[in-house]
Amino acid sequence: MSSGDTRGLSPIWSALGADAALLERVSPTGRRDGLPARLPVMELAGASVAACSLAAAELGAVRAGRPVPRVRVDGGAVATAFLSDRLVRLDGRSWTSFAPLSRFWRAADGWVRSHANYPHHRARLLAALGLPDDADVDAVAGAIAERRAVEVEDTVYASGGLAVAVRGPLEWAAHEQGALVARRPPLTLERVDRAPARALGEAPLPCAGLRVLDLTRVLAGPVATRTLALLGADVLRIDTPHLPESQEAHNDTGTGKRSALLDLAGRADHRVFQELLASADVVVTGYRPGALDRFGLAPESLAERRPGLVVAQLSAWGGYGPWHGRRGFDSLVQAATGIAVLEGSASGEPGALPAQALDHGTGYLLAAAVLRALTGQRRTGGTRIARLALTQTAHWLVHGLAATPDGADPGGGSPGRAAGGGGFDPGPWLVERDTPTGRLRYARSPVSYGQVPADWSRPPGRWGADAPVWLSG
């Protein structure tokens, strides 16, 4: 989103059901070269942050009974925030977010991208390939080189692991899942009943006094909920004790929030969760569609049980089509949807975006959807459900933001990373503070307008160490 241009923001703002006249309140500023790529990643980043910032400004204005203020979207702050997982440091140590077996592999007829950052995903990948638990990169490379890419994809997913065949944009468009994604907007936000409006009194921040249950992992969902925490919400992240999580990841996305462990399959913990849910204003889920249904956490079930609730559901592939139940991550979606080909080298080796931009972008869009839902709920009532998917953000990037005036396919040119970005220094948008785990360096939020704080009220603590209770007040 270049200065004075709301082309990228308009379809998002429309999907959110918002007043188009408010787009005039957005003022892009600063550098636009922090995320160099062939695809318009900076436009995606700027538009998603602008949507979130404008939605926050609108909710704050509604609660205060004042006009919506202007929103400033600083390109340097946006680029730094989208690189937050790469820039975070604890006592000077960086976070290596990708494990050795999370990478591209040459298959017999193309390329495969795997994701094996978590131990159980690594074990399933190796089991699917018929390899021992101690197999190294060379062994995996040899096993994949003998198979067709789609065969590896199907075999690994059947075992509960994560791997996708690298496809070009046209191949993805011809795929059943890709065709379904293409028919949908970047996100949906709907009112599902006539629940009465909830009173939200005047407050210094848009989300002050609101309680958010955060049932998300890794990056996109936690980016959204840390943004709601910045805006004043009491955000409580709930994880199962049976799945591992990275403290390093939590150092990046746990700012402003608290983190607790509950086993929803256990009677006592399930009762505690139900008590939390009874006074929640927002529930955000980031597990694959259907994974939480047995706990009564499907969006429709939540809407029926808690009229007036705002529910936001995030997934990798979308809650529809043959891939709706598959696990997924940003890197895999880039590989499947043609982005890895578009960002690849002239020799045909696949590449990647300069940041996990699908995750970060979807995170800010998710926060925007929650904020707009809260505004709508305050004005006219109704339970609101927002649905977002990394694939839909990918389609917006490739076929929306990158679309040429004559409608030509964005994959028609020669792949290769665009030049630029030289000299970009994220330093002005980084901050340090002491935390329970050490001295932490992290990126400031790019959401900026009026009275929004420059930093979160609390640093991230130890993952899972907080009590599963709401703050008083």
Side-chain angles (χ1 to χ4, degrees):
M1 187 179 67
S2 60
S3 180
D5 177 16
T6 57
R7 176 179 62 91
L9 179 55
S10 293
I12 297 299
W13 203 237
S14 175
L16 291 169
D19 181 2
L22 292 178
L23 294 176
E24 298 178 357
R25 309 292 175 90
V26 178
S27 300
T29 64
R31 300 183 60 145
R32 311 303 301 167
D33 59 354
L35 299 171
R38 184 183 183 209
L39 289 166
V41 178
M42 276 302 301
E43 283 75 6
L44 178 148
S48 58
V49 170
C52 179
S53 300
L54 192 55
E58 181 191 27
L59 177 58
V62 167
R63 294 189 67 173
R66 62 173 185 263
V68 177
R70 294 200 66 82
V71 168
R72 199 169 144 266
V73 182
D74 186 286
V78 169
T80 302
F82 269 60
L83 294 167
S84 67
D85 50 296
R86 303 183 185 186
L87 295 171
V88 67
R89 300 285 186 273
L90 183 68
D91 293 332
R93 300 188 303 274
S94 63
W95 169 34
T96 304
S97 57
F98 286 100
L101 300 189
S102 295
R103 51 168 285 184
F104 290 108
W105 309 89
R106 191 182 292 276
D109 62 346
W111 292 87
V112 169
R113 175 81 195 207
S114 62
H115 192 285
N117 287 356
Y118 288 111
H120 55 297
H121 291 157
R122 181 183 187 278
R124 292 168 186 170
L125 172 67
L126 295 176
L129 298 174
L131 297 172
D133 290 343
D134 60 351
D136 59 13
V137 169
D138 290 339
V140 174
I144 292 178
E146 299 172 352
R147 309 185 190 200
R148 294 171 53 247
V150 172
E151 177 191 349
V152 175
E153 175 183 277
D154 291 341
T155 301
V156 172
Y157 264 104
S159 73
L162 295 106
V164 298
V166 174
R167 294 170 171 84
L170 296 179
E171 291 177 275
W172 177 245
H175 190 278
E176 183 179 354
Q177 191 70 30
L180 290 172
V181 169
R183 299 172 194 164
R184 286 168 166 79
L187 59 88
T188 61
L189 176 59
E190 60 179 333
R191 175 179 175 171
V192 298
D193 61 23
R194 296 183 177 276
R198 293 187 180 184
L200 290 178
E202 185 173 346
L205 293 173
C207 294
L210 296 174
R211 292 170 168 176
V212 178
L213 274 177
D214 177 3
L215 304 175
T216 68
R217 289 169 61 81
V218 189
L219 199 50
V223 164
T225 53
R226 80 178 178 192
T227 303
L228 298 177
L230 177 80
L231 297 171
D234 178 11
V235 180
L236 180 60
R237 174 171 164 172
I238 301 294
D239 286 276
T240 173
H242 303 304
L243 287 178
E245 183 55 292
S246 161
Q247 178 64 44
E248 289 82 1
H250 188 62
N251 290 340
D252 174 39
T253 60
T255 38
K257 301 186 284 188
R258 293 174 299 119
S259 168
L261 300 179
L262 288 175
D263 180 4
L264 299 189
R267 183 175 299 178
D269 280 5
H270 190 267
R271 184 167 55 251
V272 171
F273 181 81
Q274 294 303 316
E275 292 172 354
L276 293 169
L277 178 62
S279 57
D281 300 288
V282 178
V283 176
V284 184
T285 67
Y287 292 77
R288 67 188 189 281
L292 300 176
D293 290 6
R294 63 193 176 108
F295 303 120
L297 296 176
E300 296 77 9
S301 299
L302 287 168
E304 183 177 344
R305 293 164 55 201
R306 290 275 291 128
L309 191 68
V310 172
V311 183
Q313 183 184 49
L314 167 71
S315 63
W317 308 106
Y320 46 81
W323 284 19
H324 78 279
R326 288 194 173 191
R327 299 172 178 87
F329 293 91
D330 181 304
S331 59
L332 299 181
V333 174
Q334 288 190 41
T337 60
I339 291 174
V341 170
L342 293 172
E343 293 293 336
S345 67
S347 64
E349 186 172 348
L353 298 176
Q356 295 190 66
L358 302 182
D359 263 334
H360 285 275
T362 306
Y364 290 106
L365 295 180
L366 177 59
V370 169
L371 293 163
R372 284 249 66 243
L374 290 166
T375 297
Q377 212 283 334
R378 185 186 185 280
R379 284 172 168 165
T380 61
T383 306
R384 314 278 169 143
I385 299 179
R387 289 184 172 89
L388 298 91
L390 299 185
T391 47
Q392 290 167 206
T393 304
H395 186 81
W396 174 46
L397 172 64
V398 176
H399 297 282
L401 294 168
T404 57
D406 61 2
D409 186 273
S414 299
R417 181 168 302 284
F424 171 68
D425 176 16
W429 299 280
L430 296 173
V431 66
E432 288 192 8
R433 70 195 296 181
D434 291 322
T435 78
T437 58
R439 184 71 175 174
L440 185 68
R441 187 190 82 173
Y442 58 94
R444 295 184 186 273
S445 173
V447 176
S448 175
Y449 77 90
Q451 301 302 312
V452 173
D455 200 358
W456 285 269
S457 62
R458 59 188 299 145
R462 296 186 184 279
W463 174 77
D466 293 297
V469 296
W470 295 117
L471 297 176
S472 58

